[in-house]
Amino acid sequence: MKESTSKEQILKKVRAALLEKRDNPYSNLEETPLYPPFEDPLEIVFATQFSAVAGKFVFCDGEIDLVENLLALAEKHSLRKMYVWEPRLQELLNQYGFPFYSTDTDFDKADAGITSCEALVARNGSILLSNASGAGRRLSIYPSIHVVIAYTSQLVGDIKDSLELLRAKYNNELPSMISLVTGPSRTADIEKTLVLGAHGPRDLYLFLLDDSIVNV
């Protein structure tokens, strides 16, 4: 009998608590930062996180250094068919006589694709791509090596910041394809063994230029 009485009393208190109107104790929850502030500059945070997911990060001290690093990459991997479809990148590389394919001729034999990006997410070392550029959907996926040329002004802290950049840039008329790339393509479906390049590029390079000092 005592048990029943105690149970009823507890339930009564629960019902009263549920019916009682209280001010929201977490009224500012949505505005509360999910993560602590960054202790290092965004480029350092991005480089660290990007490298941790098997990305290859290269900081370029100007456009000439960029081209020299691209030539070194081509020599290292014996790259002969490097494709660049974005007019802005074509203009940049043409200034320094860097050879590339500007059409999709023999694209099935492509060694590498060179593209720009929309943003760099420092928190997890991800690259935000879209099909709004001249690179379209194929160039970042089909070749076994994907090279991204980016600028420090494209660095943001978190994914939400990168999406805000997109909305501001395209005035809410977002591209039909938006992709967040975190390291090279990988899978561990087969015997739980990690394999890179299973469904896309096996190598992902990020060449970063400081556009506070580079003329773009």
Side-chain angles (χ1 to χ4, degrees):
M1 189 69 176
K2 287 183 180 180
E3 269 186 39
S4 177
T5 303
S6 299
K7 181 179 179 181
E8 288 175 0
Q9 288 177 347
I10 292 172
L11 291 175
K12 186 177 180 180
K13 289 180 180 179
V14 171
R15 291 191 191 99
L18 291 174
L19 292 172
E20 184 181 351
K21 292 184 179 180
R22 298 181 181 179
D23 292 333
N24 184 358
Y26 307 109
S27 57
N28 298 321
L29 182 61
E30 291 188 2
E31 286 74 35
T32 303
L34 183 61
Y35 301 102
F38 292 106
E39 295 182 359
D40 295 314
L42 290 184
E43 56 266 32
I44 301 298
V45 177
F46 176 84
T48 301
Q49 296 302 319
F50 182 70
S51 301
V53 292
K56 296 176 173 63
F57 178 87
V58 181
F59 186 84
C60 300
D61 187 19
E63 293 175 349
I64 294 177
D65 191 36
L66 165 68
V67 173
E68 289 177 347
N69 277 297
L70 285 173
L71 288 171
L73 175 66
E75 183 177 346
K76 176 182 178 181
H77 294 284
S78 300
L79 305 179
R80 296 293 178 265
K81 295 183 182 295
M82 303 179 74
Y83 287 73
V84 183
W85 291 344
E86 297 171 63
R88 186 181 178 190
L89 292 183
Q90 291 176 349
E91 182 181 353
L92 168 63
L93 298 179
N94 274 328
Q95 289 180 27
Y96 301 98
F98 183 84
F100 58 82
Y101 282 70
S102 59
T103 69
D104 61 358
T105 301
D106 294 330
F107 186 61
D108 59 323
K109 300 174 184 176
D111 294 320
I114 302 176
T115 76
S116 64
C117 67
E118 297 287 359
L120 303 174
V121 183
R123 183 76 63 186
N124 55 3
S126 297
I127 302 173
L128 188 71
L129 305 172
S130 85
N131 66 326
S133 69
R137 298 169 182 262
R138 296 181 294 161
L139 196 53
S140 63
I141 296 174
Y142 184 79
S144 59
I145 295 177
H146 180 200
V147 178
V148 178
I149 297 175
Y151 297 89
T152 51
S153 62
Q154 295 176 293
L155 283 160
V156 297
D158 295 290
I159 294 174
K160 67 173 184 175
D161 302 317
S162 68
L163 296 178
E164 287 173 5
L165 260 185
L166 277 183
R167 292 190 188 97
K169 181 177 180 179
Y170 296 104
N171 196 25
N172 287 324
E173 294 182 3
L174 296 176
S176 60
M177 188 279 287
I178 298 172
S179 177
L180 196 66
V181 178
T182 307
S185 169
R186 67 190 66 210
T187 183
D189 291 343
I190 303 173
E191 297 183 356
K192 297 182 180 180
T193 301
L194 182 64
V195 177
L196 298 181
H199 309 296
R202 72 170 188 272
D203 289 312
L204 177 61
Y205 285 84
L206 191 288
F207 290 78
L208 185 68
L209 294 94
D210 185 352
D211 52 0
S212 67
I213 58 173
V214 173
N215 225 348
V216 297

